[in-house]
């Protein structure tokens, strides 16, 4: 990109201007009146630049701008270079390329000329030589973005002239760079062509000497896009596809397309012939095809096979397209075929579509994964690495909800995020209403109901998927509540003989599942009627979770009886378990006699069941107490708290440990964790040291330890669904705390009283305010409602 | 303090709270069946879990003076027996640190 290209100026070129202007309207993005910024090379500063060769490329007539502008451009010893590519033959133009055009877009006669990228780099490193290779390929790439560009008139195309080829040293972009220059330039070419900067692409091809792709590729592409099936297979061979399996797969895909197109065109005889002679023989080898490549033989491609014969009965093209899930020869089907076939071709011969953009997207995703405070709403720029500010992270305690009379053990947001249920050692469950004030987007928290019919402290709570109902369990007793009225709809206290720690709803809201320390899993209908009981398990259930897709039930539990070695059902699974435990930092206890077993020695397990068949799919043995389990939104991962302090992320599909989140101290009690952030990229956990721990899910980096609940532990945390910066925590201090970003400081914020309590003195302030406000703020239940003082409201209790 | 799970035991036979099924002890930890409690027959165990201990006090027993504490089920708070802190008779020293569960207050649990 060294040779700077400027227009040659000539009055006679005027007619071309109009053509150019027409072109700019239909093609590129710059608006008609927006001058494009230009760059120049001052050859005097760059001795390496062979000015003579530049000038030798001068072109008599291709200039466009008016004379005055020309003077400006050519003054000061600049290389006055003919803009535009060398006339890269009008056959290229036939592909839709505006070959032989000037660089950039002429938007008005006096406009500046768009120019190439930073010349300094190349000039510094390289030599400029006269262009020797004029072969370019102006074919459009895979991108569907490419605007249609009218063919330039012949005379104009001929005016274009060769651009000097540049030979930078080495093969990489920079001496110390890892990026191969040819690869980079070819990706750039692809992108430029996709976007419609065809002339620039042509110039780049000449200047670099690299072509985006060979004529063979273009021929192959054209064959597919124009339905010249006979040429397609041969085209693949030419492009380097040689092995039998690949060719068989290709033939299969081509034949299917062919078959469907015949049917679409109502050429039944030809279709039938294709089916019998081409598809049917291949069909026999389907098993083999399937093994070849899952990517290539996509489910669509194979799925069609079995239904292919029946398609011949389709009453018309519409019906055919619907039945075959195929959008016709004029739709995207050929493009899709092309991209399937392309996967067989070496990527160096045929660059995968949108490759540069794909790479940039990967960079973006990587940056997001590395961004600890990611809240998802930022725009991304290529100019700098993405990074969210801590200012938008919910690191500040904004609201304190007081209503429980003892330690708060668990809390859970409703799925809509407008309610919060909390459960306590005081044997009550409280439903809080968390409304949003439209104008200010602030939260308005009110105590809605105190559910007080349990006679033991509460072990678990669970919102129904539609937020209509709430389940709670206290020891062996389960209650079903109507969330809006707070009425108890059902009490279940006969079927479980021990503590019920697992409560979860079926994904379709048709009922729920309970699991207890009595090794029973029982299914209930929506009204709390008994449906069925699973065969008694090996484990006492510490918690249950159902994947959001409704397919699997994940249980954590402790083995009811030790399993003797001879009884071990899968020795391989056990050895795997041992390996993983070591990596999970969960150590097996030293082997001791049978005497004096304590709960510490008891084996714990993570067990995954198929919810429909109730069969065990997989289990994993771990040592040391397990505390809680949460499932990721995509149903794939389970987040499990270990009493040793670790939080572990397990992949339920690959059946392995993915990440450990460490730093939390070892504890004695049940402490729960959750996924957080707008895309689940954070891991949060309570801790007995009174802090809320926050890790980057991908990297495992512990980056926040939020304080507020001390003294005493934080028992549970839950991120508000749909919110980028809101979560709740609860603790031994009897409070529930909401966390949000620090308020933005406005110009006069120092003058105005802050709306919410400040994190460090929140506790004290709340207590003081609470005392002052006791008279006015007692609810009918006699519970003191604590919320941010400025937003306290009379609670509606019934 | 936070929520804790009751302790669950491994054992051929598990003795638990008659009222609420909480595990207390196992046959493996049973030392003697030949005791009498407030409500009749009682068992001596080397180890008992899920119980809360009351204040110590001296009680004259059929085998002499002992310092004992009543023990209560931590789940349902029922008094289920006592623990020997101290035996003043040398022959009874083996009971120190051991527990009595009244048969009337316990049952075999799962
Ligand atoms: Zn009890």
């Amino acid at each position: 990109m060294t040779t700077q290209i400027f227009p040659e100026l000539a009055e006679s070129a005027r007619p071309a201007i109009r053509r150019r202007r027409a072109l700019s309207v239909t093609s590129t993005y710059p608006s008609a009146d927006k001058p494009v910024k230009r760059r120049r090379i001052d050859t005097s500063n760059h001795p390496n630049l062979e000015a003579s060769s530049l000038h030798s490329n001068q072109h008599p007539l291709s200039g466009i701008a008016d004379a005055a502008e020309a003077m400006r451009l050519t003054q000061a010893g600049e290389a006055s270079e003919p803009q535009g590519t060398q006339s890269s033959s009008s056959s290229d133009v036939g592909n839709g390329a505006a070959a032989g055009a000037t660089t950039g877009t002429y938007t008005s006669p006096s406009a500046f000329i768009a120019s190439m990228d930073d010349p300094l780099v190349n000039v510094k490193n390289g030599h400029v030589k006269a262009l020797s290779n004029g072969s370019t390929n102006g074919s459009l790439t895979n991108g569907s973005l490419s605007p249609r560009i009218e063919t330039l008139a012949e005379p104009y195309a001929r005016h274009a002239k060769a651009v000097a080829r540049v030979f930078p040293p080495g093969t990489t972009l920079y001496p110390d760079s890892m990026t191969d220059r040819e690869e980079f330039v070819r990706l750039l070419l692809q992108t430029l062509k996709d976007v419609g900067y065809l002339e620039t692409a042509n110039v780049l091809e000449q200047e670099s000497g690299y072509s985006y792709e060979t004529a063979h590729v273009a021929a192959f592409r054209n064959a597919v896009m124009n339905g010249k099936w006979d040429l397609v297979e041969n085209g693949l061979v030419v492009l380097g596809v040689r092995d039998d399996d690949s060719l068989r797969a290709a033939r299969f895909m081509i034949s299917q397309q062919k078959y469907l197109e015949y049917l679409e065109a109502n050429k039944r005889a030809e279709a039938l012939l294709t089916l019998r002679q081409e598809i049917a023989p291949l069909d026999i080898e389907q098993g083999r095809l399937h093994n070849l490549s899952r990517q290539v033989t996509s489910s669509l491609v194979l799925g069609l096979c079995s239904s292919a014969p029946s398609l011949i009965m389709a009453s018309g093209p519409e019906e055919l397209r619907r039945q075959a899930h195929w959008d016709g020869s004029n739709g995207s089907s050929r493009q899709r075929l092309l991209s399937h076939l392309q996967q067989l071709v070496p990527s160096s011969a045929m660059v995968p579509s949108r490759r540069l953009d794909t790479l940039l997207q990967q960079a973006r995703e990587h940056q997001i994964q590395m961004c600890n405070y990611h809240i998802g709403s930022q725009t991304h720029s290529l100019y700098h690495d993405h990074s969210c500010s801590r200012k938008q992270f919910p690191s500040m305690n904004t609201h304190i909800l007081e209503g429980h009379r003892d330690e708060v053990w668990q809390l859970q947001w409703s799925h809509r995020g407008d309610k919060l249920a909390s459960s306590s050692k005081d044997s009550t469950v409280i439903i809080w209403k968390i409304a949003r004030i439209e104008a200010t987007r602030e939260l308005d928290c009110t105590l809605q109901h105190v559910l007080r019919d349990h006679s033991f402290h509460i072990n678990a709570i669970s919102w129904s998927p539609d937020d209509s109902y709430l389940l709670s369990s206290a020891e062996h007793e389960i209650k079903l509540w109507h969330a809006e009225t707070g009425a108890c709809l059902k009490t279940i206290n006969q079927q479980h003989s021990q503590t019920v720690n697992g409560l979860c709803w079926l994904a379709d809201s048709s009922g729920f599942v309970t699991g207890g320390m009595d090794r029973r899993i029982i299914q209930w209908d929506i009204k709390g009627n008994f449906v069925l009981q699973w065969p008694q398990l090996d484990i006492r259930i510490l918690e249950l979770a159902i994947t959001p897709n409704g397919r699997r039930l994940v249980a954590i539990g402790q083995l009811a009886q030790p399993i003797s070695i001879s009884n071990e059902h899968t020795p391989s699974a056990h050895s795997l378990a041992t390996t993983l435990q070591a990596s999970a930092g969960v150590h097996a206890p030293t082997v001791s006699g049978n005497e004096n077993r304590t709960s510490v020695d008891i084996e714990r397990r993570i067990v995954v069941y198929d919810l429909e068949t109730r069969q065990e799919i997989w289990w994993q043995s771990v040592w040391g107490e397990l505390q809680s389990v949460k499932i990721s939104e995509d149903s794939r991962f389970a987040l499990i708290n270990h009493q040793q302090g670790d939080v572990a992320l397990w992949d339920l599909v690959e059946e392995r440990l993915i990440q450990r989140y460490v730093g939390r101290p070892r504890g004695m009690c049940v402490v729960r964790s959750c996924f957080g952030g707008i895309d689940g990229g954070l891991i949060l956990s309570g801790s007995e040291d009174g802090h809320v721990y926050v890790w980057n899910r991908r990297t495992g980096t512990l980056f926040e330890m939020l304080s507020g609940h001390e003294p005493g532990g934080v028992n549970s945390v839950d991120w508000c669904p749909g919110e980028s910066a809101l979560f709740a925590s609860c603790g031994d201090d009897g409070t529930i705390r909401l966390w949000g970003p620090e308020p933005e400081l406005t110009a006069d914020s120092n003058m105005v009283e802050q709306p919410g309590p400040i994190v460090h003195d929140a506790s004290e302030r709340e207590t003081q305010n609470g005392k002052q406000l006791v008279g006015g703020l007692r609810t009918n239940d006699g519970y003191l409602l604590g919320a941010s003082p400025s937003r306290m409201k009379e609670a509606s209790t019934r | 303090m936070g929520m804790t799970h009751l302790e669950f035991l491994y054992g051929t036979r598990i003795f638990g709270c008659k009222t609420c099924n909480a595990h207390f002890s196992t046959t493996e930890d049973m030392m003697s069946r030949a005791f009498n409690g407030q409500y009749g027959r009682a068992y001596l165990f080397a180890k008992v879990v899920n119980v809360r201990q009351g204040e110590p006090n001296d009680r004259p027993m059929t085998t002499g003076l002992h310092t004992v504490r009543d023990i209560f089920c931590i789940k349902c708070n029922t008094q289920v027996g006592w623990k020997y802190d101290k035996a003043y008779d040398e022959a009874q020293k083996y009971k120190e640190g051991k527990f009595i569960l009244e048969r009337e207050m316990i049952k075999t649990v799962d």
Side-chain angles (χ1 to χ4, degrees):
Chain A
M1 303 188 201
T2 54
T3 50
Q4 194 50 25
I5 298 159
F6 294 116
E8 189 69 9
L9 312 158
E11 290 296 328
S12 61
R14 285 259 178 220
I17 295 169
R18 270 171 235 122
R19 196 158 286 145
R20 283 313 210 144
R21 297 181 71 181
L23 177 69
S24 74
V25 171
T26 53
S27 64
T28 48
Y29 297 132
S31 67
D33 297 321
K34 204 170 178 181
V36 183
K37 209 173 177 180
R38 75 195 146 126
R39 280 242 184 85
R40 309 169 185 180
I41 292 178
D42 183 347
T43 53
S44 62
N45 290 337
H46 305 291
N48 284 347
L49 194 69
E50 294 173 20
S52 62
S53 75
L54 294 174
H55 286 282
S56 72
N57 282 331
Q58 271 188 2
H59 172 299
L61 288 171
S62 65
I64 291 163
D66 64 50
E69 177 64 10
M71 291 308 289
R72 269 167 40 76
L73 289 169
T74 53
Q75 67 193 352
E78 286 175 340
S80 168
E81 182 63 12
Q83 90 292 358
T85 62
Q86 156 254 27
S87 165
S88 50
S89 86
S90 49
S91 66
D92 288 330
V93 174
N95 286 328
T102 54
T103 53
T105 304
Y106 284 86
T107 53
S108 76
S110 60
F112 292 138
I113 293 93
S115 165
M116 306 301 280
D117 201 357
D118 190 357
L120 296 176
V121 175
N122 287 317
V123 169
K124 193 170 59 191
N125 295 337
H127 307 276
V128 181
K129 296 250 172 77
L131 180 71
S132 56
N133 169 16
S135 80
T136 57
N137 185 328
S139 62
L140 288 169
T141 65
N142 290 337
S144 50
L145 283 175
S146 304
R148 295 200 181 281
I149 296 176
E150 289 162 30
T151 308
L152 284 175
E154 285 280 314
Y156 184 75
R158 283 204 189 102
H159 293 159
K161 233 193 155 187
V163 175
R165 182 164 168 192
V166 181
F167 293 93
T171 58
T172 54
L173 277 185
Y174 302 97
D176 55 350
S177 155
M178 296 287 286
T179 309
D180 182 86
R181 194 172 60 243
E182 178 173 358
E183 289 184 2
F184 174 77
V185 170
R186 290 183 67 204
L187 297 196
L188 205 54
L189 286 166
Q190 179 188 51
T191 312
L192 291 171
K193 290 178 184 215
D194 281 350
V195 172
Y197 296 148
L198 304 179
E199 302 162 27
T200 308
N202 277 332
V203 173
L204 180 53
E205 285 189 323
Q206 295 170 59
E207 200 166 29
S208 65
Y210 305 128
S211 47
Y212 167 57
E213 55 188 20
T214 63
H216 297 306
V217 174
F220 169 70
R221 190 190 308 282
N222 286 338
V224 176
M225 296 309 288
N226 297 325
K228 292 175 181 160
W229 308 122
D230 300 344
L231 302 176
V232 174
E233 191 181 331
N234 190 44
L236 283 169
V237 175
V238 170
L239 293 178
V241 182
R242 298 288 150 79
D243 68 295
D244 286 348
D245 282 347
S246 295
L247 287 172
R248 195 175 292 112
R251 222 172 283 143
F252 185 75
M253 291 187 277
I254 295 162
S255 298
Q256 281 188 133
Q257 178 77 16
K258 204 165 138 184
Y259 170 68
L260 288 170
E261 290 199 8
Y262 277 139
L263 279 183
E264 188 187 31
N266 207 23
K267 294 179 179 169
R268 292 181 176 235
E270 289 90 335
L272 214 55
L273 207 64
T274 308
L275 184 65
R276 284 184 187 146
Q277 296 191 344
E278 299 179 22
I279 298 180
L282 287 164
D283 195 13
I284 297 165
E285 301 171 64
Q286 186 179 331
R288 189 160 175 203
L289 282 168
H290 193 68
N291 290 334
L292 175 71
S293 158
R294 279 192 193 171
Q295 261 189 316
V296 174
T297 54
S298 67
S299 58
L300 174 94
V301 173
L302 279 173
L304 181 59
C305 197
S306 49
S307 63
S310 68
L311 293 172
I312 214 151
M313 308 302 288
S315 58
E318 292 284 318
E319 177 77 2
L320 171 80
R321 289 192 281 263
R322 195 181 55 76
Q323 281 187 19
H325 304 288
W326 179 78
D327 68 354
S329 56
N330 291 325
S332 63
S333 69
R334 286 178 179 175
Q335 184 68 53
R336 288 171 68 183
L337 174 65
L338 181 64
S339 62
H340 283 304
L341 292 174
Q342 186 171 351
Q343 289 171 27
L344 301 170
V345 178
S347 59
S348 59
M350 204 169 166
V351 181
S353 64
R354 302 175 64 160
R355 185 62 192 157
L356 186 58
D357 192 49
T358 303
L359 292 173
L360 294 174
Q361 181 59 31
Q362 286 171 7
R364 207 171 282 132
E365 282 164 11
H366 173 76
Q367 288 168 18
I368 288 171
Q369 282 169 8
M370 301 306 284
C371 174
N372 290 335
Y373 298 106
H374 191 64
I375 59 159
S377 61
Q378 272 79 4
T379 53
H380 299 277
S381 170
L382 293 179
Y383 296 135
H384 52 81
D385 282 3
H386 166 84
S387 164
C388 289
S389 155
R390 185 175 187 267
K391 282 182 187 152
Q392 285 142 327
F393 187 81
S395 56
M396 197 180 109
N397 190 187
T398 58
H399 298 73
I400 299 174
L401 312 182
E402 290 176 318
H404 285 292
R405 287 188 277 208
D406 208 331
E407 297 174 2
V408 187
W409 285 352
Q410 194 184 355
L411 48 71
Q412 197 178 81
W413 289 94
S414 64
H415 299 81
R416 278 196 296 271
D418 59 346
K419 286 181 181 177
L420 187 62
S422 59
S423 66
S424 166
K425 191 181 179 182
D426 70 7
S427 305
T428 69
V429 175
I430 293 181
I431 296 178
W432 307 85
K433 195 174 168 66
I434 315 290
R436 273 69 169 174
I437 300 165
E438 288 250 348
T440 56
R441 294 185 65 230
E442 280 174 20
L443 302 177
D444 180 30
C445 312
T446 35
L447 185 154
Q448 201 173 21
H449 299 294
V450 180
L451 314 177
R452 50 168 75 262
D453 297 350
H454 278 298
S455 37
F456 295 101
H457 47 233
I458 313 294
N459 296 97
I461 49 175
S462 178
W463 284 100
S464 66
D466 63 359
D467 296 340
S468 301
Y469 305 100
L470 184 73
L471 278 172
S472 61
S473 67
E475 294 302 341
H476 58 281
E477 184 179 78
I478 300 157
K479 283 180 183 287
L480 175 65
W481 309 88
H482 189 263
E484 197 51 46
T485 63
C488 179
L489 303 175
K490 180 94 180 181
T491 299
I492 298 165
N493 53 20
Q494 297 301 312
Q495 283 82 355
H496 281 287
S497 63
Q498 298 284 6
T499 312
V500 176
N501 293 312
L503 290 178
C504 48
W505 289 83
L506 297 171
D508 63 0
S509 290
S510 64
F512 55 91
V513 180
T514 59
M517 295 297 258
D518 54 5
R519 300 191 277 155
R520 289 179 196 149
I521 290 181
I522 305 178
Q523 287 181 225
W524 311 86
D525 71 9
I526 187 79
K527 292 183 171 161
N529 298 313
F530 177 90
V531 175
L532 59 89
Q533 183 175 333
W534 292 31
Q536 196 167 36
L537 310 176
D538 295 336
I539 55 167
R540 302 184 185 279
I541 291 166
L542 295 164
E543 195 169 4
L544 285 183
I546 288 178
T547 56
N549 64 17
R551 295 210 197 104
R552 290 173 174 199
L553 178 79
V554 181
I556 55 171
Q558 61 190 51
L559 222 51
Q561 291 295 334
I563 290 190
S564 65
I565 300 303
S566 58
N567 224 356
E568 198 78 52
H569 46 297
T570 35
S572 62
H574 192 75
S575 60
L576 173 71
T578 314
T579 319
L580 285 166
Q581 282 153 26
S583 66
V586 181
H587 304 293
T590 50
V591 179
S592 58
N594 287 334
E595 303 301 312
N596 303 322
R597 274 192 176 274
T598 69
S599 64
V600 178
D601 304 330
I602 292 176
E603 181 182 340
R604 267 74 176 189
R605 282 188 183 173
I606 301 162
V607 191
V608 181
Y609 301 93
D610 181 309
L611 193 52
E612 202 182 315
T613 65
R614 302 190 281 281
Q615 297 299 306
E616 217 173 79
I617 297 172
W618 169 66
W619 61 267
Q620 170 66 55
S621 161
V622 285
W623 299 92
E625 185 91 70
L626 298 176
Q627 300 180 317
S628 72
V629 56
K630 290 268 169 63
I631 309 290
S632 65
E633 209 43 51
D634 62 4
S635 298
R636 176 156 184 179
F637 302 97
L639 188 67
I640 292 172
N641 268 26
H642 292 252
Q643 200 172 57
Q644 280 88 342
D646 287 9
V647 181
L649 185 66
W650 293 84
D651 186 329
L652 300 178
V653 175
E654 291 184 12
E655 303 180 354
R656 65 188 184 92
L657 180 75
I658 292 290
Q659 184 61 278
R660 292 166 58 210
Y661 308 97
V662 297
R664 205 169 60 108
R666 182 192 174 85
M668 300 297 292
C669 309
V670 175
V671 171
R672 297 167 204 268
S673 54
C674 69
F675 293 96
I678 197 73
D679 49 6
L682 307 176
I683 302 296
L684 291 87
S685 179
S687 171
E688 286 180 42
D689 67 4
H691 293 100
V692 175
Y693 283 68
V694 190
W695 294 268
N696 180 310
R697 173 172 167 183
R698 186 61 58 125
T699 62
T701 309
L702 172 67
F703 66 92
E704 284 288 348
M705 284 174 64
L706 305 170
S707 26
H709 276 290
E710 312 94 317
V714 178
N715 295 313
S716 184
V717 286
D718 200 28
W719 195 276
C720 184
E723 291 280 353
S724 61
L726 173 62
F727 75 92
S729 63
C730 62
D732 292 348
D733 62 354
T735 68
I736 293 138
R737 288 163 193 257
L738 305 187
W739 301 78
E742 288 177 30
E744 275 178 47
L745 294 174
T746 52
D748 55 351
S749 62
N750 293 336
M751 314 299 289
V752 185
E753 195 188 339
Q754 289 295 312
I758 307 300
V759 60
H760 298 296
D761 60 3
S763 177
E764 270 179 38
R765 278 181 57 177
E766 285 306 310
T767 315
Q768 285 167 6
N769 284 321
K771 277 177 187 158
Q772 288 161 10
L773 293 166
V774 164
L777 281 161
R778 259 185 205 281
T779 68
N780 294 345
D781 285 321
Y783 275 73
L784 177 65
L785 170 69
S788 189
S790 61
R791 285 187 292 284
M792 275 185 157
K793 262 196 171 181
E794 190 74 37
S796 60
T797 46
R798 207 39 46 117
Chain B
M1 162 71 185
M3 176 173 137
T4 49
H5 293 300
L6 289 178
E7 201 161 331
F8 283 81
L9 302 168
Y10 284 162
T12 29
R13 189 174 164 203
I14 297 161
F15 300 99
C17 176
K18 196 173 184 177
T19 315
C20 75
N21 299 334
H23 285 197
F24 288 150
S25 197
T26 64
T27 43
E28 283 78 6
D29 281 326
M30 186 189 280
M31 297 172 72
S32 168
R33 290 171 177 267
F35 277 75
N36 281 304
Q38 230 174 318
Y39 309 101
R41 203 36 88 80
Y43 305 148
L44 183 71
F45 291 91
K47 186 172 163 263
V48 167
V49 299
N50 296 327
V51 291
R52 179 174 60 77
Q53 301 177 13
E55 291 303 307
N57 51 67
D58 285 353
R59 271 180 222 170
M61 305 264 189
T62 49
T63 52
L65 185 68
H66 294 80
T67 307
V68 300
R69 300 164 180 264
D70 287 335
I71 55 175
F72 305 84
C73 169
I74 56 167
K75 180 169 159 187
C76 68
N77 221 20
T78 309
Q79 189 194 332
V80 293
W82 65 85
K83 181 191 177 191
Y84 293 100
D85 270 11
K86 186 171 171 61
Y88 293 89
D89 180 350
E90 206 57 38
Q92 306 300 323
K93 285 281 183 197
Y94 74 97
K95 289 189 270 185
E96 288 184 358
K98 306 297 190 291
F99 301 82
I100 289 290
L101 290 175
E102 305 225 29
R103 200 176 67 176
E104 190 58 33
M105 310 308 293
I106 60 172
K107 62 179 179 185
T108 304
V109 294
D110 197 16

